[in-house]
Amino acid sequence: MKILFVTPECAPWAKTGGLGDVSAALPQALMRLGHDVRVLMPAYRSMRPLLAQAKRRHTWPAEGPWPEAQLAEVEAGGLSLLLLDCPGFYDRHGSPYGDPGGPDFEDGARRFGFLSAVAARLSIDPSPRRGWRWRADVLHANDWPTGLAPAYLGLDRHRQAVSVFTIHNLAFQGMFPVERGLSIGLPQSWMSVDGALHWGQLCLLKAGVRYADAVTTVSPTYAREIQEPEMGFGMDGMMRARAADLHGILNGIDPESWNPTRDPLIVQHFDANSLEGKTVNKLALQHRLGLAESNEPVLFGMVSRLTEQKGVDLVLDNIDWLTEQGHQVVVLGKGEARFEQALAQAAARHPGQVSAIAGFDEGLAHLIEAGSDVFLMPSRFEPCGLNQMYSQAYGTAPIVRATGGLADSVDDAQPGTDKGTGFVFQEPTAMALREALQRALTLRQDGDAWRALQRRGMARRFDWALSAKRYEALYRKLQMRQRPSA
Ligand code: ADP
Ligand code: GLC
């Protein structure tokens, strides 16, 4: 199959969270199944150096509301990238979405509407006018910035390509005033609650859900949760209406990037039979962050966007309790100022025991996974989550709340049993987290039981090949539905 994977992020060039990792790994897993996969994304400033190595460039003439642009074909990082080069939209300082720490760029509907229009065009006709012959059989769009891609594709009554829209996080919806939609040529008929309007605004995520042939999200539990009011962000009714076409497919992890036996970003490689190597990483992490260097304290790590979603406040409420018992806490994260400040204050209160690093640091994220004993992920909701999987691969016991992909990927260790790879708690409260922390601390005192738990986690496989096969099966099912005779 020819698969067009359109995304606003792709690691290592443009990543604010897990979508960046998924956009690098899933296309490669699909390629390994024999498919011809192209990854379409904007040529952000951080990606412009790649343009110099383009194999081909195609001029994309101005059309309707859209400016002229170039489409550059680049082979990099094991991917066939199609970079949409339109400096007016994408050559900007900041993240893919906005100024660092500031609001999103106000022309988001135009910037990402253009990306989506190009995605649909690449799935409709080969358009020799543009010197372009490749046409996608499957258009796979990801999160709100690409929500208009399945919608635009659906406007073509003769289309052959099928579309899949993946929700990585329902909390980010891409809401814009209705006039913005009209100014980028969206049909008036979409401007209703039965179309792409949500709470009186144009909602790009809703467009994706409404108009794609199938909708997926990144874990089976989250697929169920978003059909309920509590986690449906006001869209649970629509999710229920699409239940027959809504699938939960768990993400995997990339064994090339996240593998303690050959990770270039950690200090000492290790595996399940050489866990003493993990201690070397712990000491190196303590040294780097100015914490007391010893294997005695239990080291709790966290790497996260600092938002309400991630339950940072639940961790903050337990820091004093952990440090009173002599343990250590490391948090690497960037996000809401109130959380960054509270973490900095906790670090100032407990020098040598607590370290808070405000920033985005891939290398340090790997060292925290390798050097921590326990990883904290008390999310209020978590569509999939990747760090709890990385943690298990690195022999670091995750503490997670029973939600979304966390519930689907961590087995709770019950005392007195030889099962479990981490610690799972139910309620999103500091007390419920504390109970799980206590269970972890108790188990840690039994060295053999702890190592057995680490080994069970390290033996788990979160294999992209399996997830890719599920996407492949879905694409085929949609193609059969579209063209029963094919
Ligand atoms: P989300 O996509 O909701 O942020 P995920 O767990 O799916 O959550 O993915 C987060 C990814 O981003 C992981 O690879 C994690 O290591 C990385 N990450 C998050 N914050 C930071 C940070 N401050 N520095 C480095 N990596 C980070
Ligand atoms: C989102 C979710 C996260 C998921 C990631 C990749 O950012 O918040 O849970 O792992 O997308 O699918």
Side-chain angles (χ1 to χ4, degrees), residues 18-19 22 168-169 218 251 305 309 382-386:
L19 175 56
V22 172
H168 294 264
N169 196 333
V218 284
N251 288 332
R305 290 184 292 114
Q309 173 192 345
E382 195 61 76
C384 178
L386 298 173

Side-chain angles (χ1 to χ4, degrees), residues 15-19 21 169 251 258 303-305 309-310 332-334 357 359-362 365 377 382-388 390:
K15 164 173 166 178
T16 69
L19 175 56
D21 291 352
N169 196 333
N251 288 332
W258 289 95
V303 179
S304 184
R305 290 184 292 114
Q309 173 192 345
K310 301 290 181 179
L332 167 63
K334 200 168 122 171
I357 308 94
F360 198 94
D361 185 336
E362 187 78 26
M377 218 160 158
E382 195 61 76
C384 178
L386 298 173
N387 278 107
Q388 81 283 6
Y390 302 152

